[in-house]
Amino acid sequence: DIQMTQSPSSLSASVGDRVTITCRAGQSISDYLNWYQQTPGKAPKVLIYAASNLHSGVPSRFSGSGSGTDFTLTIRSLQPEDFATYYCQQSYITPYTFGQGTKLETK
Amino acid sequence: QVQLVQSGAEVKKPGASVKVSCRASGDTFTSYYVHWVRQAPGQGLEWLGVINPSGVNTIYAPKFQGRVTLTRDTSARTVSLDLSSLRYGDTAVYYCAPAISRGGWFDPWGQGTLVTVSS
């Protein structure tokens, strides 16, 4: 299985801040890397697919980059609705695996 | 765009089996792979397996091989997850999630079905 390691596991920030979450794959996954946002009690929603593509309807303050083994999710100018848990996921090879999650909390 | 509505919550005893269904609306359902992902209380996301658009091919996570079965009824626009030999650790919310291609992203996810294993 490909291990996906996110950092940090939790992050405190304020509205208006710029935050970056990183995700490292245990082997190269090309650009088969997706980012999801999950709020309590809700199903995850895709934000970024194929490493750097913004999903339809997702605000442009979200961006993704990387390829191979190292990836980042950046949120420029945090909004109140962005405080949630974020997961990376590789869809390069089964079993598809997720990072452990990054919980973004209000400072 | 396809939308998936899942069956309701289940409570099962250890050793029993559970079936969770996912019914689709939208004209393009037959084009989608459907994945299943679970989330134990307070934990992260765990992938169980995928069924292809025709329903002929399935891939399961090795951890669940032998206990999980995915099926697809194209005429009923339904995909189902059967999980057998339930253990307390199987208590989780189970999600179905479509993907337009085998290596694609999951979107949009079903609303989730809570399966509780309790004696």
Side-chain angles (χ1 to χ4, degrees):
Chain A
D1 299 6
I2 298 178
Q3 184 171 359
M4 306 299 292
T5 304
Q6 282 182 239
S7 62
S9 295
S10 63
L11 179 58
S12 296
S14 302
V15 172
D17 285 352
R18 179 179 185 270
V19 299
T20 298
I21 299 169
T22 65
C23 179
R24 174 164 288 177
Q27 66 182 71
S28 177
I29 57 170
S30 184
D31 64 351
Y32 287 84
L33 189 284
N34 310 304
W35 290 98
Y36 299 89
Q37 178 194 63
Q38 187 179 34
T39 53
K42 299 293 187 181
K45 294 182 180 180
V46 65
L47 299 173
I48 303 287
Y49 64 90
S52 60
N53 295 275
L54 191 68
H55 186 63
S56 175
V58 175
S60 59
R61 62 181 179 273
F62 291 91
S63 64
S65 65
S67 67
T69 60
D70 294 309
F71 303 86
T72 60
L73 172 70
T74 299
I75 312 172
R76 173 179 48 84
S77 189
L78 272 174
Q79 299 301 301
E81 60 269 28
D82 299 337
F83 293 95
T85 300
Y86 294 85
Y87 294 94
C88 63
Q89 176 228 4
Q90 64 85 13
S91 55
Y92 180 71
I93 191 168
T94 57
Y96 294 163
T97 43
F98 293 84
Q100 80 277 17
T102 296
K103 187 173 184 179
L104 180 53
E105 299 174 302
T106 307
K107 184 181 289 183
Chain B
Q1 185 184 30
V2 69
Q3 299 288 335
L4 299 179
V5 177
Q6 299 184 220
S7 52
E10 302 267 9
V11 180
K12 297 291 183 180
K13 294 188 183 302
S17 297
V18 68
K19 183 170 187 171
V20 180
S21 296
C22 186
R23 182 175 175 82
S25 61
D27 294 338
T28 58
F29 173 64
T30 53
S31 301
Y32 283 79
Y33 292 78
V34 178
H35 297 260
W36 289 85
V37 176
R38 75 178 187 180
Q39 186 170 38
Q43 302 302 307
L45 302 168
E46 183 173 34
W47 184 83
L48 283 80
V50 60
I51 188 164
N52 76 334
S54 68
V56 170
N57 295 314
T58 54
I59 301 174
Y60 302 123
K63 175 179 178 179
F64 300 100
Q65 193 81 35
R67 285 208 302 142
V68 66
T69 303
L70 301 183
T71 55
R72 187 167 192 152
D73 183 339
T74 303
S75 61
R77 308 172 66 78
T78 300
V79 175
S80 298
L81 163 76
D82 281 272
L83 187 62
S84 62
S85 302
L86 289 169
R87 309 155 184 169
Y88 294 115
D90 291 320
T91 293
V93 175
Y94 288 76
Y95 295 102
C96 58
I100 195 63
S101 62
R102 181 171 167 177
W105 56 98
F106 302 171
D107 177 68
W109 297 49
Q111 84 276 17
T113 296
L114 175 62
V115 174
T116 303
V117 182
S118 174
S119 58

